[in-house]
Amino acid sequence: MKGSIYKRCTCRDSQTGRLLGRGCPQLKRANGSWNPRHGAWHIQCDLPRRADGTRRTLRHAGYLTQDDATADLLQLNTLLAIPDRSDTTSQICLGDLVEHTISTDGRLPEIDTVRRALQTGTRLIGQPTVGEWLEQWLAGKRNLAASTRSKYAEHIRRHLIPHLGQLRLDRLRRQHIAAMIQAIIERADYVQAIRESGDKAACLALRGEKVTGATTLHRIRATLRAALNAAIREDLIAANPATHIELPSPRRPRPLVWTPERVRRWQADSTIPGPVMVWTAEQTGRFLDAILDDPLYPLFHLVAYRGLRRGEACGLHDDDLELAAGEITIRWQLLGEHKTPTLARTKTESSDATIALDDDTITVLRRHRAAQAKHRLAAREPWPAHGLLFTDPDGQPLRPGWVTAHFQRLIARAALPPIRLHDLRHGAATLALAAGVDLKVVQAMLRHSTITLTADTYSSVLPQLAKDAANATAATIPRAQRQ
């Protein structure tokens, strides 16, 4: 074994003031054995020469026992034996790594990490932390949709950096990621339990905290995996530890209809049966009738009839309408909650499409165009030249977050059971299926990427339709006597 182990202390000679080092009489007991309460063990070993050819010797102190020092010296010898003796470059890089790791972390590099790095050509020194790399990776993503960038940033800020950010990138392991996932699940269970307990003080302390579900966990893992794949391409790591992490299977919430029984229960104790609720045709009609005089009635009418997403409706341009042909083209979306909205192209190719309009919607949009032209002429300030179809009274782009809040106020004013604005889109699909529209046509209206997504989401339709289907099926079975 190369190198040596020795013990020394920091005592000084009382007359000269020099360090006694290995010569301190207190290092050994009277019987010649080492005194475990005095001094510390050291290791010393020659490292490969530097790039300029100069020699270097590693001296590392602070071991409490001789066994600890011996174990590290053995590890150092194993490390030095990994590169081939004829591979001068790897020898130099290994020496640099040992010096760097000892000076920064106070410990030797891991044998498996060095062996894997030398085999794959991965960089040995200058590794960033996970947090530093995540921020660098996101900053370097140029052609990224604003909504996607926002989600990546949220995952990094809320989950990845708090749990993993302090780890060095090349030391990130699967167990670290698994521990993060478990911590997020436990926190979500705790928050959900507090909210269900009815403890007002505890709920107030958690106000604004989101419950992270299975779907979001998969997206967090996807963000981390994408960042680590980029680190592999930069030769910072050799493998992606986020690849084979087991996660709970997400369950797509199925829309539930506000049936009379569910409405009565909601009126009695405010119970909402599920996260995705849709109105019946009668309830949708009551809502639209109640808001006929609202400036945003045409927007909500369009969402309820043709199933546009919020951002798509807010980002619709006047030249996207072909009312003579009875069509609108979805090309843009307006993003942003309560801050300055941002106009962006639709996220996917399937979202970018032309959809047909019914006669009622054509009439509503034609009237809206005429009313907007009057507002433009009456405006004191020059009307903005953005070309948006739906704006505030001054012609400024709508803030999508405000549109959602306004929608909720209108629901409360109409005394209808609550739904989300996005649930108007679900309602449009459900009502289309109830009217007998083919599933493929509904997929085209919603611009889903696959018909499977449409079928999985809307397998439960209006109760009367389901009952009629059940009765029709039962009627096909010949019976001698009907019950």
Side-chain angles (χ1 to χ4, degrees):
M1 183 170 63
K2 296 181 180 179
S4 60
I5 301 170
Y6 58 90
K7 194 173 190 184
R8 63 182 300 165
C9 66
T10 56
C11 296
R12 295 182 179 272
D13 187 285
S14 59
Q15 296 180 355
T16 64
R18 293 182 178 179
L19 287 171
L20 296 176
R22 305 184 194 184
C24 179
Q26 297 184 60
L27 289 175
K28 288 191 174 182
R29 293 171 173 168
N31 60 3
S33 63
W34 293 106
N35 181 3
R37 298 183 180 180
H38 193 75
W41 288 95
H42 296 57
I43 64 172
Q44 177 176 312
C45 188
D46 289 335
L47 297 178
R49 290 177 180 268
R50 296 185 178 88
D52 60 4
T54 57
R55 295 183 60 183
R56 52 181 163 185
T57 300
L58 173 69
R59 296 180 179 88
H60 190 227
Y63 298 100
L64 296 179
T65 67
Q66 187 175 8
D67 289 343
D68 291 341
T70 302
D72 256 18
L73 187 59
L74 284 170
Q75 181 178 345
L76 181 57
N77 274 260
T78 304
L79 287 168
L80 296 177
I82 293 175
D84 190 274
R85 291 185 179 182
S86 62
D87 189 351
T88 307
T89 301
S90 295
Q91 292 277 353
I92 293 172
C93 289
L94 178 59
D96 293 341
L97 175 66
V98 171
E99 274 192 326
H100 175 78
T101 309
I102 285 289
S103 62
T104 56
D105 296 346
R107 61 179 182 176
L108 293 169
E110 296 178 7
I111 295 172
D112 290 342
T113 301
V114 172
R115 183 178 287 115
R116 185 167 55 246
L118 289 176
Q119 288 173 347
T120 59
T122 305
R123 189 187 308 174
L124 284 173
I125 197 167
Q127 286 282 359
T129 64
V130 174
E132 291 169 346
W133 173 248
L134 288 170
E135 292 176 345
Q136 178 184 338
W137 167 75
L138 184 59
K141 300 286 286 183
R142 301 299 180 201
N143 300 322
L144 202 61
S147 58
T148 304
R149 182 179 297 278
S150 176
K151 285 298 180 185
Y152 283 169
E154 182 182 3
H155 297 160
I156 291 170
R157 183 185 70 255
R158 290 188 60 222
H159 303 289
L160 298 176
I161 286 182
H163 290 280
L164 307 173
Q166 77 285 357
L167 295 170
R168 220 174 73 178
L169 183 61
D170 61 328
R171 291 181 178 167
L172 180 64
R173 297 291 180 268
R174 189 173 292 114
Q175 56 265 33
H176 297 138
I177 302 172
M180 175 191 71
I181 296 297
Q182 185 60 34
I184 293 174
I185 292 173
E186 291 175 358
R187 179 65 182 179
D189 291 343
Y190 169 76
V191 172
Q192 189 66 31
I194 290 295
R195 289 177 179 170
E196 292 175 355
S197 70
D199 187 332
K200 293 184 178 179
C203 289
L204 187 62
L206 297 174
R207 184 173 56 184
E209 182 170 347
K210 298 179 181 178
V211 175
T212 305
T215 300
T216 304
L217 280 176
H218 280 261
R219 291 172 180 165
I220 292 169
R221 194 264 304 270
T223 300
L224 178 60
R225 187 167 54 191
L228 295 179
N229 282 337
I232 293 175
R233 291 192 293 271
E234 294 293 326
D235 290 333
L236 294 174
I237 56 176
N240 192 330
T243 301
H244 301 293
I245 298 294
E246 291 188 6
L247 297 176
S249 299
R251 298 182 63 183
R252 185 180 299 279
R254 302 292 177 88
L256 297 177
V257 179
W258 275 113
T259 60
E261 179 60 34
R262 288 169 179 159
V263 172
R264 283 192 292 271
R265 195 178 308 124
W266 166 73
Q267 291 171 337
D269 56 15
S270 301
T271 297
I272 300 178
V276 179
M277 302 299 299
V278 297
W279 285 329
T280 62
E282 185 270 336
Q283 291 163 341
T284 303
R286 279 173 50 198
F287 172 74
L288 293 175
D289 289 341
I291 66 166
L292 279 172
D293 296 331
D294 190 86
L296 289 187
Y297 167 77
L299 184 149
F300 294 131
H301 175 106
L302 182 60
V303 174
Y305 273 60
R306 304 310 297 155
L308 270 67
R309 300 175 178 90
R310 180 187 69 175
E312 295 169 348
C314 293
L316 201 62
H317 285 60
D318 187 69
D319 57 9
D320 293 331
L321 271 64
E322 293 289 344
L323 296 184
E327 295 176 341
I328 59 171
T329 300
I330 310 300
R331 300 181 299 138
W332 301 95
Q333 56 179 338
L334 202 62
L335 305 173
E337 287 297 321
H338 302 285
K339 299 180 181 179
T340 303
T342 302
L343 193 65
R345 294 305 299 260
T346 51
K347 188 173 180 181
T348 63
E349 290 184 8
S350 60
S351 297
D352 197 346
T354 298
I355 61 175
L357 297 175
D358 59 279
D359 292 341
D360 285 348
T361 303
I362 292 173
T363 301
V364 168
L365 293 179
R366 185 172 281 121
R367 289 174 179 170
H368 173 71
R369 259 185 172 174
Q372 190 180 60
K374 292 180 180 179
H375 284 301
R376 188 183 297 112
L377 291 174
R380 296 180 181 179
E381 299 293 332
W383 196 266
H386 45 56
L388 290 172
L389 181 65
F390 299 114
T391 66
D392 70 10
D394 297 325
Q396 297 299 323
L398 293 170
R399 289 174 296 157
W402 180 86
V403 173
T404 296
H406 185 61
F407 176 72
Q408 297 300 330
R409 289 190 291 269
L410 293 176
I411 290 177
R413 195 178 306 164
L416 284 163
I419 64 170
R420 306 169 305 164
L421 177 54
H422 194 74
D423 294 337
L424 268 188
R425 170 177 165 85
H426 291 307
T430 304
L431 294 174
L433 291 171
V437 176
D438 185 77
L439 188 63
K440 188 68 179 178
V441 177
V442 175
Q443 177 205 350
M445 180 184 77
L446 298 177
R447 288 152 289 116
H448 282 162
S449 57
T450 65
I451 197 170
T452 303
L453 176 60
T454 311
D456 286 348
T457 305
Y458 301 106
S459 60
S460 58
V461 294
L462 293 176
Q464 187 58 48
L465 181 65
K467 184 175 181 180
D468 291 344
N471 285 332
T473 302
T476 64
I477 302 174
R479 297 292 304 276
Q481 181 177 355
R482 290 288 173 187
Q483 300 298 321

